[in-house]
């Protein structure tokens, strides 16, 4: 039987799956290796530190949240549909929701920087138009 080639993407995805099942604490090197049916050596060879691997799994979770919410947005009612997507995410993917909402973010030190980092700048204009208020308001 040929040896399976383990890639960094496979490691991050296996870690992400473990996070979905039981939170970041569940995504250990040993558990990721078991998930991939390999030794811990490939995991260690691709990941310089557990901190770096956790950051990559957190980025994967953020991408998942963006995809999840985008799939539930209704163009005619963006604001409301976005607001409804987050509680739905919390119910369906509680560990991802906790990681995304409660997780510490790099470079965020205020609500303004959070807004700039995590939202589409066009969203405020769309919401304003739907609600009949100016962008400044």
């Amino acid at each position: 039987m040929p040896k399976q080639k383990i890639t960094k993407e496979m490691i991050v995805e296996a870690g992400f799956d473990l996070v979905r099942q039981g939170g970041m604490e569940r995504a250990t090197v040993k558990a990721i290796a078991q998930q991939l049916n390999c030794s811990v050596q490939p995991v260690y060879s691709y990941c310089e530190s557990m901190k770096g691997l956790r950051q990559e799994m957190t980025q994967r979770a953020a991408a998942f949240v963006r995809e999840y919410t985008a799939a539930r947005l209704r163009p005619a009612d963006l604001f409301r549909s976005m607001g409804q997507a987050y509680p739905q995410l919390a119910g369906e993917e509680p560990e991802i929701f906790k990681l995304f909402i409660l997780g510490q973010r790099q470079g965020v030190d205020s609500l303004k920087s959070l807004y700039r980092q995590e939202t589409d700048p066009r969203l405020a204009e769309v919401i304003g138009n739907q609600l009949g208020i100016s962008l400044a308001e």
Side-chain angles (χ1 to χ4, degrees):
M1 175 183 254
K3 227 177 174 182
Q4 181 183 9
K5 173 96 169 102
I6 304 295
T7 66
K8 188 172 188 175
E9 291 76 24
M10 291 168 69
I11 292 167
V12 172
E13 198 61 32
F16 174 72
D17 288 343
L18 289 165
V19 169
R20 285 177 83 179
Q21 295 167 24
M24 191 61 82
E25 314 75 48
R26 182 130 190 247
T28 64
V29 171
K30 184 177 179 182
I32 292 169
Q34 286 175 338
Q35 182 94 348
L36 292 171
N37 198 27
C38 70
S39 72
V40 295
Q41 191 277 329
V43 179
Y44 282 120
S45 69
Y46 281 110
C47 305
E48 293 178 20
S49 70
M50 200 58 197
K51 181 181 178 183
L53 180 55
R54 283 189 187 107
Q55 287 176 332
E56 291 193 48
M57 290 185 292
T58 299
Q59 289 170 354
R60 174 64 180 93
F64 177 87
V65 170
R66 284 190 300 275
E67 294 163 11
Y68 184 97
T69 54
R72 286 154 182 79
L73 289 180
R74 296 183 306 275
D77 196 8
L78 284 174
F79 188 64
R80 189 183 327 262
S81 61
M82 177 65 85
Q84 292 168 337
Y86 281 109
Q88 188 176 359
L89 174 69
E92 292 177 12
E93 297 283 350
E95 296 299 334
I96 298 302
F97 182 79
K98 282 191 280 188
L99 178 63
F100 180 74
I101 296 300
L102 302 177
Q104 198 167 18
R105 289 167 169 81
Q106 297 284 345
V108 174
D109 58 358
S110 68
L111 282 175
K112 191 174 192 174
S113 63
L114 176 66
Y115 178 77
R116 283 189 178 142
Q117 182 173 315
E118 303 222 355
T119 61
D120 184 329
R122 300 167 294 180
L123 188 58
E125 186 177 341
V126 170
I127 293 169
N129 289 339
Q130 286 181 352
L131 298 177
I133 59 177
S134 73
L135 192 56
E137 290 174 297

